[in-house]
């Protein structure tokens, strides 16, 4: 094999342009299953599992083979490779710029929390306590008091808020941090969706009035909607969580809920909480207002995580691999020369360069795949697997006719485009692809929402892998009861949210589960 | 990219000198989710071991090289004595890790990165640094060679501000990270790693700060110009505030990082002190007379008192903008030049151990030809508290005799007490 490679090199006078450190070596790789056990098996380079046949295995396969994730020796922890990390960076850049405009500032609080601080907010710690990882030793010495690793930073930050906030002029205090958190869960880990360590941003803000807090909750939720709908092309439903599902210790939680049709499960996309004065009471965060009276501050916290990437993969990916929305794709266009034996390869390279430059000048993210050790067909599959939205093929006929062939990743439509129109057409196609991905996803999602009035219809829809919109009495016990009655293989049904957009609730409508008068419509489903 | 924070203890143990070097400082997680963990996990002190573990899986042939990755993350080292920014239990940094097919490439990469750090220190942070090679004793646990940028703080102690390591094949041999070269032979890869951390912020504080507080180099200052409106009557307030806002908006449009402090609870004098403490490079004062004359007063943080104040500066947007830009550059240059003079006047060239002892005792750095052994170096540390900061890249043209052993010495080394 090596001498062959050598000869090719000598013939073409080119070196493999593998400079970016291609994450896919030309050899079979061993796969590691999520449970942490190593399974040595020979696998083909492309996808072997079909999305509709075995969604779980399909997902595990696509995130690894596309080069997004690498499994790791610590169960539930994953390596985010550049192909996925770059997406995180796009979203980070967007969100960071937006919150800066709002006057929110970035900061960094410690990773470690003392037990004392962690247990301050009773409800809160009951929510997170079972999932905390503890540092018990340093080097060979046992620590006198074990120290926790942040599962979220309320208990790290709020004691300091109490110190910084004295008077109304110290308000509003609006901070954010981009960091990693650890939640030692035992539920089935899934790359991006549920991992023991993940990256996120957490915003923590304090206000003098509830009105200000309420307003910010809405503004941030809208940013989360944009991330999903405008960047990741994933439709979400905005709503408020039930008392059972809201953030442990908060006043109310607003959420953007997505839905994975293949599994019939809802997934919490991102949350924006109003903590009310619950935490300020516990952490004694008072301020003196302009009348000299002492009040507790009103607080919010809000976060989105690397989970968003998983949702995008699940919604758009297909049997060939990832399908990346152009707005977040690291590589939006890949240019592949199609060489022929009698054609001067340098001429091909020149043609590729020319097109690449045109596209780059138009602000597009382009890559040329001129590796000489792979045939074009292999490259097509490889970049399809990686989900690159647009492929441009340049063969000898194309050079002759001064055109290129463009192929869309989302619907595989091909078209020949004259050279002088190449930049404009590529940009237009990328916009079309972005819009098309969202449109298709929304159509599918909309079909997955079933509106019901009765328990029987509710169960039927649930078993049909749907989200169910049902009139509800908004009672904690009733929700717990529904959960108990619907325990199944894919988990019990719960409220995903009470959508902001409520359909008409005719007078006298009763709750589908309890028969009591219905207060509002709630979206129910099994969930991640 | 992003590697997990938890490292199985067995990984750390793979590279002998690495585990020896880091072992006492490792934070170990033994309980997760209420259960005792099967294998104790280390909270990363640095990521070479995980990186190598993965490089072994990703690198198979020379075509997979060079492989260059970077991550911006937090790391944890359970230090005994801490100091904000300079030495903290947890700190933020970037760590780059690269794998190469040849020793030459790795060496080139390591040198390239220390130059990037040097450039940042000098051009952005206005901190003069000496670039050099660490002694064997001071080299990163597991590296073949460590390059460093050394800065002198206000108390004349040295601060290692950034490092770049040529790891050779130490980790690749320990982790079996091999590649098939173009001749068809299996080789171990050659690696580098390099990092700069939030310690640099400490460096900026300690290099430029003075008795009034912080002094931030304009290139890095979050607020470059603070605008203080000054008024006595309500009528004055309106016009002054309007002028202040206008000046702010104009400067902001041109990319200057600026802020108006119009709070009414504090006097102008209080505000002057406050923003000086915060290290803001330039202050613009606008009072009623300034508004009338369409001028402003500009004060430099780096020149105290009247000498730093410039009166009658035109409020005309383009003129003010050019003025501000020019002054910011002057402040940046001035901070750097002061730091250079300070540092240069506190390095003594020594030709004997006695000279070195005197220089160190006087709080200075000592520079002298060195050909001593590790034991000699350790002795100096024990007797004076000074360590070799580096063998600077910039060497005098003539060689000399080691000031300690009198053997022929090819290079001079720099000794100093350090953070």
């Amino acid at each position: 094999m090596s001498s062959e490679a050598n000869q090719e090199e000598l013939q073409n006078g080119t070196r493999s342009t593998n400079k970016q450190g291609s994450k896919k070596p030309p050899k079979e790789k061993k796969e590691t299953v999520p449970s942490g056990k190593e399974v040595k098996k020979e696998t083909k380079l492309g996808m072997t599992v079909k999305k509709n046949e075995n969604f779980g295995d399909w997902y595990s396969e696509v995130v690894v083979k596309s080069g997004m994730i690498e499994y790791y020796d610590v169960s539930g922890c994953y390596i985010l490779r550049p192909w996925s990390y770059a997406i995180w960076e796009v979203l980070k850049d967007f969100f960071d710029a937006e919150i800066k405009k709002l006057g929110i500032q970035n900061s960094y609080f410690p990773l470690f929390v003392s037990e004392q601080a962690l247990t301050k907010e009773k409800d809160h710690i009951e929510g997170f306590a079972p999932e905390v990882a503890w540092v018990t030793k340093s080097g060979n010495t046992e620590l006198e008091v074990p120290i926790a690793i942040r599962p979220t930073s309320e208990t790290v930050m709020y004691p300091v808020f109490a110190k910084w906030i004295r008077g109304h002029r110290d308000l509003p205090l609006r901070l954010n941090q981009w960091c990693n958190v650890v939640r030692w869960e035992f539920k089935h880990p899934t790359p991006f969706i549920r991992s023991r360590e993940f990256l996120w941003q957490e915003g923590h803000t304090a206000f003098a009035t509830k009105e200000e807090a309420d307003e910010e909750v809405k503004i941030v939720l809208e940013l989360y909607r944009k991330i999903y709908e405008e960047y990741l092309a994933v439709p979400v439903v905005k709503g408020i969580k039930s008392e059972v599902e809201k953030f442990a210790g908060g006043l109310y939680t607003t959420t953007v809920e997505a839905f994975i049709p293949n599994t019939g499960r809802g997934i919490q996309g991102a949350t924006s909480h109003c903590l009310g004065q619950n935490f300020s009471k516990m952490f004694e965060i008072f301020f003196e207002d302009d009348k000299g009276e002492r009040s507790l501050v009103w607080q919010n916290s809000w976060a989105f995580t690397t989970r968003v990437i998983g949702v995008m993969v699940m919604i758009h990916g297909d049997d060939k691999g990832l399908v990346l929305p152009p707005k977040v794709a690291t590589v939006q266009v890949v240019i592949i020369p199609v060489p022929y034996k009698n054609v001067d390869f340098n001429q091909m390279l020149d043609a590729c360069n020319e097109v690449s430059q045109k596209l780059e000048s138009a602000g597009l993210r382009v890559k040329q795949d001129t590796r000489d050790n792979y045939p074009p067909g292999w490259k097509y599959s490889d970049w399809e697997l990686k989900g690159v939205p647009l492929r441009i093929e340049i063969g000898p006929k194309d050079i002759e006719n001064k055109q290129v062939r463009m192929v869309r990743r989302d619907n595989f439509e091909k078209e020949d485009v004259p050279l002088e129109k190449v930049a404009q057409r590529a940009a237009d196609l990328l916009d079309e692809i972005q819009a098309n991905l969202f449109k298709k996803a929304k159509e599918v999602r909309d079909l997955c929402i079933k509106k019901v009035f009765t328990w029987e219809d509710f169960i039927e829809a649930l078993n049909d892998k749907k989200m169910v919109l049902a009139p509800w009495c908004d009672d904690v016990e009733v929700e717990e009861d529904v959960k108990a009655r619907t325990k199944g293989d894919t988990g019990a049904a719960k409220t995903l949210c009470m959508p902001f957009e409520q359909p008409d609730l005719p007078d006298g409508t009763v709750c589908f589960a309890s028969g009591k008068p219905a207060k509002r419509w709630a979206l129910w489903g099994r969930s991640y | 990219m992003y590697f997990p924070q938890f490292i199985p203890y067995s990984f750390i143990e793979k590279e002998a000198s690495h585990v020896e070097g880091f072992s006492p400082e490792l934070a170990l997680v033994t309980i997760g989710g209420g259960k005792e963990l099967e294998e104790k996990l280390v909270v990363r002190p640095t990521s070479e071991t995980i990186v190598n573990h993965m490089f072994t899986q990703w690198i198979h042939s020379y075509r997979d090289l060079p492989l260059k990755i970077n991550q911006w993350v937090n790391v944890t080292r359970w230090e005994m004595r801490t100091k904000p920014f300079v030495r903290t239990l947890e700190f933020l940094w970037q760590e780059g890790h690269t794998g190469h097919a040849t020793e030459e490439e790795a060496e080139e990469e390591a040198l390239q990165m220390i130059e990037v750090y040097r450039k940042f220190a000098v051009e952005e942070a206005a901190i003069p640094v000496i670039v050099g090679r660490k002694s064997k004793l001071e080299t990163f646990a597991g590296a073949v060679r460590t390059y460093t940028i050394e800065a002198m703080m206000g108390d004349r102690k040295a601060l290692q501000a950034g490092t770049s390591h040529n790891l050779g094949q130490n980790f690749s041999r320990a982790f079996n990270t091999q590649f098939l070269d173009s001749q068809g032979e299996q080789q171990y890869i050659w690696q580098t790693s390099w990092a700069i951390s939030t310690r640099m912020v400490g460096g900026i504080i300690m290099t430029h700060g003075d008795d009034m507080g912080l002094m931030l180099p304009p290139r890095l200052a979050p607020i470059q110009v603070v605008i203080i409106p000054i008024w006595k009557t309500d009528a004055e307030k309106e016009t002054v505030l309007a002028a202040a806002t206008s000046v702010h908006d104009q400067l902001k449009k041109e990319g200057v990082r600026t802020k108006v402090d119009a709070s009414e609870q504090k006097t102008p004098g209080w505000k002057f002190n406050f923003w000086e403490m915060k290290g803001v490079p330039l202050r613009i004062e606008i009072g009623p007379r300034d508004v009338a004359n369409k001028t402003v007063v500009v004060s430099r943080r780096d020149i105290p008192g009247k000498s730093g104040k410039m009166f009658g500066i035109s409020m005309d947007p383009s003129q003010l903008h050019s003025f501000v830009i020019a002054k910011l550059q002057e402040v940046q240059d001035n901070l750097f030049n002061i730091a250079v003079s300070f540092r240069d006047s506190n390095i003594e060239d020594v030709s004997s151990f006695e000279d070195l002892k005197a220089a160190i005792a006087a709080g200075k750095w000592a520079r002298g030809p060195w050909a001593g052994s590790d034991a000699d170096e350790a002795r100096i540390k024990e007797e004076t508290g000074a360590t070799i900061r580096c063998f600077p890249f910039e060497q005098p043209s003539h060689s000399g005799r080691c000031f300690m052993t009198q053997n022929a010495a090819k290079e001079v080394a720099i000794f100093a007490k350090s953070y």
Side-chain angles (χ1 to χ4, degrees):
Chain A
M1 190 230 119
S2 56
S3 53
E4 219 185 279
N6 227 359
Q7 266 207 317
E8 267 191 82
E9 260 198 69
L10 291 173
Q11 264 181 357
N12 294 321
T14 53
R15 278 224 70 193
S16 131
T17 52
N18 218 347
K19 284 195 191 69
Q20 296 220 297
S22 160
K23 310 302 169 285
K24 290 188 56 53
K27 280 217 181 330
E28 277 117 359
K29 288 168 72 77
K30 36 177 206 268
E31 239 178 355
T32 320
V33 244
S35 66
K37 296 205 207 97
E38 274 221 54
V39 175
K40 288 182 174 39
K41 63 179 182 192
E42 302 291 83
T43 55
K44 297 206 304 237
L45 242 30
M47 297 292 296
T48 60
V49 186
K50 290 211 183 324
K51 192 178 183 187
N52 292 327
E53 280 174 16
N54 188 334
F55 185 72
D57 284 358
W58 169 85
Y59 182 75
S60 304
E61 199 183 18
V62 78
V63 295
V64 169
K65 287 193 170 174
S66 65
M68 280 189 147
I69 289 276
E70 188 68 72
Y71 281 109
Y72 183 59
D73 296 61
V74 179
S75 178
C77 294
Y78 306 96
I79 294 168
L80 302 183
R81 303 180 70 173
W83 200 246
S84 59
Y85 197 77
I87 298 177
W88 180 243
E89 287 188 308
V90 169
L91 300 175
K92 202 184 209 206
D93 288 347
F94 162 71
F95 191 77
D96 201 58
E98 288 297 314
I99 58 176
K100 281 184 156 81
K101 279 190 224 164
L102 296 171
I104 294 159
Q105 295 181 300
N106 284 330
S107 56
Y108 188 78
F109 285 78
L111 173 75
F112 298 118
V113 199
S114 70
E115 185 174 6
Q116 197 188 32
L118 196 63
T119 51
K120 250 223 154 115
E121 214 291 333
K122 197 180 64 57
D123 281 327
H124 180 72
I125 190 57
E126 253 175 57
F128 287 105
E131 299 174 344
V132 170
W134 294 91
V135 173
T136 60
K137 287 169 106 122
S138 77
N140 286 321
T141 338
E142 292 283 331
L143 293 183
E144 265 178 44
V145 186
I147 292 193
I149 294 183
R150 65 180 166 225
T152 175
S153 300
E154 279 77 4
T155 55
V156 179
M157 296 168 81
Y158 297 166
V160 195
F161 276 28
K163 186 171 169 214
W164 291 336
I165 297 171
R166 287 286 136 94
H168 68 280
R169 288 184 225 290
D170 298 320
L171 298 171
L173 176 59
R174 307 169 86 187
L175 297 180
N176 176 66
Q177 62 176 20
W178 294 92
C179 60
N180 54 341
V181 292
V182 172
R183 297 182 185 181
W184 212 262
E185 307 197 35
F186 292 96
K187 282 194 241 184
H188 183 60
T190 306
F192 298 118
I193 303 291
R194 193 174 291 278
S195 53
R196 284 176 166 166
E197 180 193 5
F198 56 88
L199 302 180
W200 74 350
Q201 57 70 216
E202 45 177 330
H204 296 269
T205 56
F207 301 92
T209 68
K210 182 170 186 287
E211 290 68 42
E212 284 171 85
D214 289 338
E215 195 190 331
E216 188 196 70
V217 167
K218 286 210 246 327
I219 292 175
V220 172
L221 191 72
E222 169 58 13
L223 290 178
Y224 291 152
R225 183 202 66 78
K226 283 197 161 111
I227 286 178
Y228 272 103
E229 298 199 329
E230 293 176 23
Y231 277 81
L232 300 167
V234 171
V236 289
V237 176
K238 268 185 182 174
I240 188 165
K241 287 285 193 189
S242 69
E243 280 303 300
V244 171
E245 291 295 316
K246 74 178 186 194
F247 180 63
L251 184 60
Y252 66 84
T253 291
T254 65
T255 175
V256 285
E257 294 288 316
F259 187 72
I260 311 295
N262 283 78
T263 54
R265 289 161 84 177
I267 184 160
Q268 178 175 290
T271 48
S272 181
H273 317 287
C274 179
L275 305 176
Q277 292 173 316
N278 299 345
F279 284 81
S280 55
K281 199 181 301 174
M282 280 300 133
F283 288 95
E284 297 178 272
I285 312 175
F286 290 98
F287 74 101
E288 215 173 271
D289 65 20
D290 49 10
K291 292 179 197 64
E293 282 172 31
R294 233 171 142 227
S295 299
L296 292 169
V297 302
W298 292 88
Q299 291 176 265
N300 291 337
S301 74
W302 26 271
F304 83 98
T305 79
T306 32
R307 163 181 277 204
V308 306
I309 299 176
V311 178
M312 175 203 75
V313 173
M314 287 184 170
I315 297 289
H316 300 304
D318 63 16
D319 291 343
K320 286 206 185 313
L322 286 185
V323 178
L324 299 177
K327 262 199 114 144
V328 298
T330 322
V331 176
Q332 295 171 315
V333 187
V334 63
I335 301 174
I336 300 176
V338 189
Y340 270 67
K341 282 199 174 65
N342 54 343
V343 172
D344 177 17
F345 194 60
N346 282 323
Q347 196 193 24
M348 300 237 82
L349 290 181
D350 286 341
C352 290
N353 268 329
E354 194 191 336
V355 173
S356 176
Q357 273 169 36
K358 281 188 204 282
L359 296 180
E360 274 178 357
S361 308
L364 303 184
R365 301 189 283 270
V366 198
K367 185 173 170 67
Q368 297 180 58
D369 188 350
T370 53
R371 288 176 291 177
D372 58 5
N373 52 328
Y374 297 112
W378 189 96
K379 294 180 185 179
Y380 298 168
S381 301
D382 191 34
W383 293 106
E384 275 167 9
L385 176 57
K386 286 178 136 65
V388 169
L390 202 60
R391 171 173 86 231
I392 288 182
E393 300 164 16
I394 304 181
K397 283 241 175 69
D398 298 306
I399 297 185
E400 219 180 284
N401 298 335
K402 286 201 182 10
Q403 67 182 31
V404 301
R405 163 154 290 191
M406 294 197 181
V407 183
R408 286 170 64 151
R409 176 64 180 90
D410 61 336
N411 58 14
F412 300 105
E413 275 176 19
K414 301 185 208 269
E415 69 181 75
D416 293 327
V417 180
L419 217 51
E420 68 271 12
K421 295 224 170 89
V422 103
Q424 188 57 55
R425 191 61 189 135
D428 288 344
L429 280 177
L430 290 174
D431 285 343
E432 272 183 49
I433 294 171
Q434 181 82 25
N436 187 38
L437 287 178
F438 181 71
K439 179 161 166 279
K440 284 211 331 246
K442 186 164 188 298
E443 277 167 11
V444 173
R445 192 280 311 264
D446 289 345
L447 287 174
C448 289
I449 303 184
K450 201 92 171 65
K451 196 164 152 198
V452 307
F453 285 91
T454 69
W455 177 260
E456 290 71 38
D457 288 344
F458 174 81
I459 292 295
E460 193 186 322
L462 206 62
N463 292 334
D464 200 22
K465 294 204 305 194
K466 302 261 187 289
M467 272 189 290
V468 199
L469 195 57
W472 184 41
C473 59
D474 198 353
D475 190 297
V476 168
E477 273 168 32
V478 173
E479 181 166 1
E480 295 290 13
D481 184 56
V482 172
K483 270 170 134 164
R485 285 157 75 186
T486 57
K487 257 209 174 97
D489 295 325
T490 48
K494 58 184 186 185
T495 53
L496 302 171
C497 71
M498 289 172 284
F500 286 165
E501 262 182 53
Q502 290 272 317
D504 272 333
L505 193 65
D507 282 338
T509 310
V510 293
C511 171
F512 77 101
S514 67
K516 293 193 226 170
K519 293 208 183 115
R520 65 195 101 256
W521 290 90
L523 196 59
W524 296 76
R526 302 198 203 270
S527 85
Y528 279 88
Chain B
M1 58 183 295
Y2 188 77
F3 282 92
Q5 176 182 233
F6 296 127
I7 309 180
Y9 193 73
S10 55
F11 282 24
I12 303 272
E13 289 178 311
K14 275 196 163 137
E15 213 285 336
S17 55
H18 189 68
V19 67
E20 206 186 298
F22 278 103
S23 169
E25 300 172 347
L26 302 175
L28 293 162
V29 173
T30 61
I31 299 176
K35 298 208 174 104
E36 185 95 18
L37 299 180
E38 272 174 37
E39 182 179 4
K40 53 188 181 187
L41 300 175
V42 177
V43 182
R44 70 181 157 227
T46 178
S47 301
E48 275 76 6
T49 54
I50 323 176
V51 169
N52 265 88
H53 183 75
M54 280 353 279
F55 273 20
T56 302
Q57 296 190 35
W58 293 335
I59 296 170
H60 298 264
S61 101
Y62 69 95
R63 286 177 198 275
D64 299 320
L65 298 171
L67 177 52
K68 302 188 191 189
I69 55 113
N70 177 63
Q71 58 176 21
W72 292 89
V73 297
N74 51 340
V75 291
T76 300
R77 298 179 184 185
W78 216 265
E79 304 271 6
M80 285 296 107
R81 286 204 194 94
T82 57
K83 192 180 194 73
F85 295 114
V86 173
R87 195 173 290 278
T88 53
L89 219 78
E90 180 196 3
F91 56 90
L92 303 180
W93 76 352
Q94 57 70 217
E95 46 176 329
H97 299 269
T98 66
H100 305 267
T102 69
E103 189 173 10
E104 291 73 35
E105 262 189 59
E107 178 68 7
E108 196 187 323
E109 179 81 18
L111 290 172
Q112 191 176 62
M113 290 322 295
I114 200 69
E115 168 58 19
V116 170
Y117 292 155
R118 183 204 65 79
K119 200 161 171 224
F120 177 79
V122 164
E123 293 177 18
E124 301 293 318
I127 298 178
V129 290
I130 296 182
V131 193
R133 186 187 82 249
K134 286 286 187 187
S135 70
K136 199 154 65 92
L137 282 185
E138 293 285 321
T139 294
F140 176 69
V144 162
R145 248 180 327 278
T146 292
Y147 297 115
T148 175
I149 46 170
E150 298 286 322
M152 181 184 286
M153 299 296 99
D155 63 357
R156 297 176 298 176
K157 279 164 82 167
L159 185 77
Q160 176 179 294
T163 49
S164 168
H165 314 290
N166 182 332
L167 303 173
Q169 293 177 321
N170 291 347
F171 284 87
S172 58
R173 282 177 193 277
F175 284 84
N176 216 30
T177 322
Q178 296 188 307
F179 71 102
L180 205 63
D181 69 15
S182 50
Q183 259 69 48
E185 302 283 323
Q186 285 277 64
Q187 308 273 8
Y188 289 104
I189 66 171
W190 299 86
Q191 294 176 255
T192 74
S193 71
W194 24 273
I196 204 161
S197 74
T198 34
R199 162 182 272 215
M200 176 61 83
V201 179
I204 292 169
I205 298 171
M206 292 197 284
T207 302
H208 304 301
D210 63 14
D211 291 345
M212 285 195 286
L214 286 185
M215 180 123 67
L216 299 177
R219 290 285 279 262
L220 297 178
I223 298 173
Q224 295 169 311
V225 182
V226 64
I227 302 170
I228 318 266
I230 303 171
W231 69 85
K232 285 206 182 73
T233 70
D234 278 340
E236 285 175 351
K237 173 177 166 188
E238 213 186 300
T239 49
V240 163
L241 276 183
T245 309
S246 164
V247 166
H248 166 270
D249 292 346
Q250 294 293 343
L251 288 176
K252 186 168 173 198
K253 208 163 55 162
E254 298 291 341
V256 178
R257 299 188 288 274
T258 169
K259 181 183 170 70
V260 178
D261 184 353
S263 58
E264 305 193 34
Q265 285 65 44
K266 309 280 195 265
T267 63
W270 188 98
K271 294 180 186 181
F272 294 175
N273 289 342
F274 180 75
W275 293 105
E276 275 164 9
M277 172 154 67
K278 275 180 129 52
V280 174
L282 286 186
R283 173 177 77 231
I284 288 182
E285 298 159 34
I286 306 181
R289 241 181 303 181
D290 301 303
V291 176
N293 295 337
K294 292 203 181 30
T295 60
V296 299
V297 177
V298 181
S299 301
R300 284 171 66 150
R301 171 67 177 86
D302 61 331
I303 301 179
K306 281 242 163 69
S307 350
K309 263 177 127 99
M310 295 150 285
F311 298 86
I313 309 302
S314 168
M315 223 191 257
D316 164 73
S318 63
Q319 281 189 49
L320 183 55
H321 174 243
S322 317
F323 184 82
V324 162
I325 295 296
K327 288 303 153 198
L328 288 175
Q329 186 60 49
E330 277 180 43
V331 172
Q332 182 85 18
D333 294 339
N334 189 34
L335 290 184
F336 182 71
N337 294 333
I338 291 176
V340 171
S341 318
F342 179 74
R343 184 207 46 196
D344 291 346
S345 61
N346 280 290
I347 306 187
E348 281 208 17
D349 286 294
V350 301
S351 48
S352 72
F353 187 28
E354 292 307 308
D355 283 352
L356 179 136
K357 280 199 271 196
I360 301 294
K364 299 189 187 189
W365 290 14
R367 178 174 49 214
W370 180 255
S373 64
D374 290 352
D376 294 320
E377 190 181 337
R379 183 178 159 211
I380 294 190
K381 182 172 181 181
E382 212 189 297
E383 291 189 30
T384 69
T387 50
I388 295 186
R389 302 318 305 159
C390 68
F391 291 93
F393 285 175
E394 264 183 48
Q395 289 282 331
S397 43
H398 51 273
S399 49
R401 292 202 164 278
C402 172
F403 66 80
M404 184 118 163
T405 65
Q406 298 314 312
N407 294 332
K410 276 185 273 184
E411 305 175 282
V412 299
I414 298 192
F415 290 77
K417 285 198 183 156
S418 76
Y419 280 97

